[in-house]
Amino acid sequence: MAVLQEVGQDIMQWSERLAQHSEPGWVEKGQLTVTYLTPAHLAVAAELKALMQEAGFDEVSVDAVGNVVGVYHGDTTDAASLLTGSHYDTVRNGGKYDGRLGILIPIAVVKSLSSQKRRLPYGIEVVGFSEEEGQRFRATFLAAGALTGSFDPEWLSQRDVDGISMAEAMKTAGLPGTLAAIQTIKRDPQKYLGFVEVHIEQGPVLCGKELPLGVVTSINAGVRATCKTIGLAGHAGTTPMSMRQDAMLAAAEISLMAEQRARLDEGSVATVGQIQVPGGSINVIPGECVFTLDMRAPTDPQRDALVSNIVKEAHAIANRRQVQFEYTEVMRASAAPSDPGWQLRWERAVAKIGQPVFKLNSGAGHDAMKMHTIMPQAMLFVRGGNRGISHNPLEIITAQDATLATQAFEALLDEIN
Ligand code: HGY
Ligand code: MN
Ligand code: MN
């Protein structure tokens, strides 16, 4: 197959083209926030649709949950397909490459195939997953969930901070917003060879080892929860320290405990990403505090031990402080070991383009861990600059590494026979 030269420049330009769309309140500050079905999100979907059409896909469509799907047929219409892609939503003030790189690289590969008028003995289906980050609604991986038949009907009635339900947001975006329409998205695994995803590493390993690419061995398991501590609001000036039921201090002690507990294990992490005293005042003892917990580990048993220890100790802290502790799990994803066959294909592809083969696990969650539930999957990581920082506007890659990743993807296609 023709080797793609300097395709990385195209990919960097396409990344900028997508990154021009951001939400009010963020775009004015030059920050990137694209959450599910906002006008900025719809604008990115339109750009992806156009990019796929320009690249020569045979079919391009937007499905009932907002996934942008491009199909490049194989040499026979009943050929099975390679499924690939990643997400195009972002965290708040996120980076330009998280998710998007894994859509743009296969678009570049199809563009090369189409320009050569080449057909493979299998099709290529590229999915721009519409929602992976779980920002606007507590419905993480909802897009991949629709493809795997695990879309939770409850999600449709979830409301965002403005009280808009997901179903209403779908209808406003011109989508059906019905479970029946969403259930038609489920993929039949028999029609696919497997799922591959290219993604930035989002960590410091490849950068530290000065390697452009890494083959993923497994994706860590995770649990996310929303939490609330309920104490007693009181006068900050007259209430003695010994008589307080301070909800925020209970949350703070729980947060520090979670940090300490995660430090005990190799590979476990625990994060309080959001914390707030609703309706708080400078001179009022917090009566209530809401916060989130994100807990992960390389295996399900290690994750489960981490979660149960943290939740048990959180209740003990709350009791000691005469505060109530409420815990609501909002996401649970099992560890997703790479399919050995697809992992080997990535290893061979990386070697074939003359790059060192380095294997690592993924601390970050990905659409691939959801697709893992119905078909074999494996991922390729691309080095992140700035020590691999991510979920941060400092997230960066190079055009050269984007070119290498695209060449590796092309080489992977040769490994499928
Ligand atoms: O949080 C994650 O691991 C992913 O970036 N959504
Ligand atoms: Mn992310
Ligand atoms: Mn991601």
Side-chain angles (χ1 to χ4, degrees):
M1 262 193 214
V3 174
L4 295 153
Q5 291 302 344
E6 296 323 310
V7 69
Q9 290 301 348
D10 285 348
I11 288 166
M12 300 304 273
Q13 282 159 20
W14 298 344
S15 300
E16 293 303 321
R17 181 167 157 183
L18 300 183
Q20 66 184 319
H21 305 292
S22 183
E23 293 171 11
W26 304 89
V27 68
E28 299 84 359
K29 295 180 277 186
Q31 295 175 346
L32 181 63
T33 298
V34 177
T35 59
Y36 190 51
L37 296 183
T38 60
H41 187 268
L42 300 181
V44 173
E47 296 281 9
L48 284 173
K49 198 173 164 186
L51 278 170
M52 287 181 177
Q53 286 159 341
E54 292 157 19
F57 282 78
D58 298 299
E59 301 167 46
V60 180
S61 60
V62 177
D63 71 17
V65 295
N67 294 322
V68 182
V69 183
V71 178
Y72 185 72
H73 294 154
D75 54 11
T76 57
T77 48
D78 59 352
S81 291
L82 173 65
L83 190 60
T84 185
S86 192
H87 61 96
Y88 63 88
D89 64 322
T90 73
V91 295
R92 296 178 184 88
N93 194 13
K96 298 172 185 169
Y97 308 99
D98 177 3
R100 287 139 183 234
L101 185 65
I103 308 168
L104 296 177
I105 284 180
I107 288 177
V109 170
V110 166
K111 183 176 180 182
S112 169
L113 292 171
S114 172
S115 65
Q116 301 164 54
K117 298 200 180 346
R118 282 186 55 81
R119 294 286 172 181
L120 304 171
Y122 50 86
I124 297 178
E125 183 173 325
V126 181
V127 180
F129 288 93
S130 56
E131 205 292 339
E132 188 264 5
E133 298 285 6
Q135 303 292 300
R136 181 177 179 185
F137 299 101
R138 295 286 184 222
T140 310
F141 298 125
L142 82 85
L147 265 74
T148 57
S150 58
F151 184 93
D152 182 346
E154 290 290 305
W155 287 341
L156 286 171
S157 47
Q158 267 201 26
R159 294 188 180 278
D160 67 6
V161 288
D162 298 322
I164 299 168
S165 75
M166 186 185 289
E168 288 159 359
M170 286 175 164
K171 290 187 172 74
T172 305
L175 303 177
T178 65
L179 190 58
I182 293 165
Q183 286 170 337
T184 64
I185 296 172
K186 184 175 179 338
R187 292 304 194 270
D188 173 2
Q190 300 304 315
K191 293 183 179 167
Y192 296 94
L193 302 169
F195 179 79
V196 293
E197 181 174 358
V198 180
H199 203 288
I200 52 170
E201 179 202 338
Q202 298 185 293
V205 176
L206 294 177
C207 186
K209 290 191 177 294
E210 296 182 354
L211 293 171
L213 305 174
V215 178
V216 176
T217 55
S218 182
I219 305 170
N220 284 6
V223 158
R224 292 182 196 169
T226 54
C227 304
K228 182 186 284 187
T229 47
I230 304 160
L232 183 65
H235 197 294
T238 58
T239 312
M241 294 309 285
S242 62
M243 291 173 65
R244 295 182 176 209
Q245 294 164 259
D246 187 322
M248 206 296 281
L249 288 181
E253 187 176 348
I254 289 167
S255 305
L256 290 171
M257 173 274 294
E259 178 194 30
Q260 289 310 318
R261 174 55 187 82
R263 285 178 185 275
L264 299 180
D265 300 340
E266 177 63 36
S268 288
V269 288
T271 310
V272 175
Q274 293 172 299
I275 187 163
Q276 190 188 10
V277 176
S281 303
I282 190 168
N283 56 351
V284 176
I285 301 165
E288 192 173 290
C289 185
V290 292
F291 58 103
T292 59
L293 270 172
D294 176 317
M295 300 163 280
R296 311 189 199 196
T299 66
D300 288 19
Q302 185 174 325
R303 174 205 64 191
D304 295 344
L306 175 73
V307 171
S308 63
N309 292 168
I310 287 173
V311 172
K312 184 165 177 262
E313 184 55 25
H315 280 294
I317 290 167
N319 289 339
R320 277 199 300 277
R321 289 177 168 270
Q322 294 178 294
V323 163
Q324 286 171 46
F325 171 65
E326 292 177 1
Y327 173 91
T328 309
E329 185 175 293
V330 295
M331 189 277 270
R332 174 173 287 260
S334 287
S338 297
D339 171 75
W342 282 103
Q343 182 182 320
L344 185 59
R345 288 192 177 110
W346 273 127
E347 292 171 26
R348 286 184 176 150
V350 169
K352 193 169 171 188
I353 65 166
Q355 292 302 318
V357 177
F358 180 79
K359 292 175 264 187
L360 71 169
N361 84 316
S362 174
H366 299 289
D367 293 302
M369 74 197 302
K370 205 73 187 170
M371 299 314 294
H372 177 83
T373 62
I374 66 164
M375 62 177 73
Q377 60 77 24
M379 293 184 71
L380 178 74
F381 270 173
V382 180
R383 164 174 48 189
N386 290 332
R387 292 193 298 171
I389 193 167
S390 181
H391 285 184
N392 180 305
L394 292 174
E395 182 181 284
I396 187 74
I397 63 165
T398 65
Q400 290 75 10
D401 287 357
T403 297
L404 287 172
T406 308
Q407 290 172 346
F409 199 111
E410 260 212 325
L412 173 88
L413 299 181
D414 286 334
E415 294 294 325
I416 304 171
N417 40 46

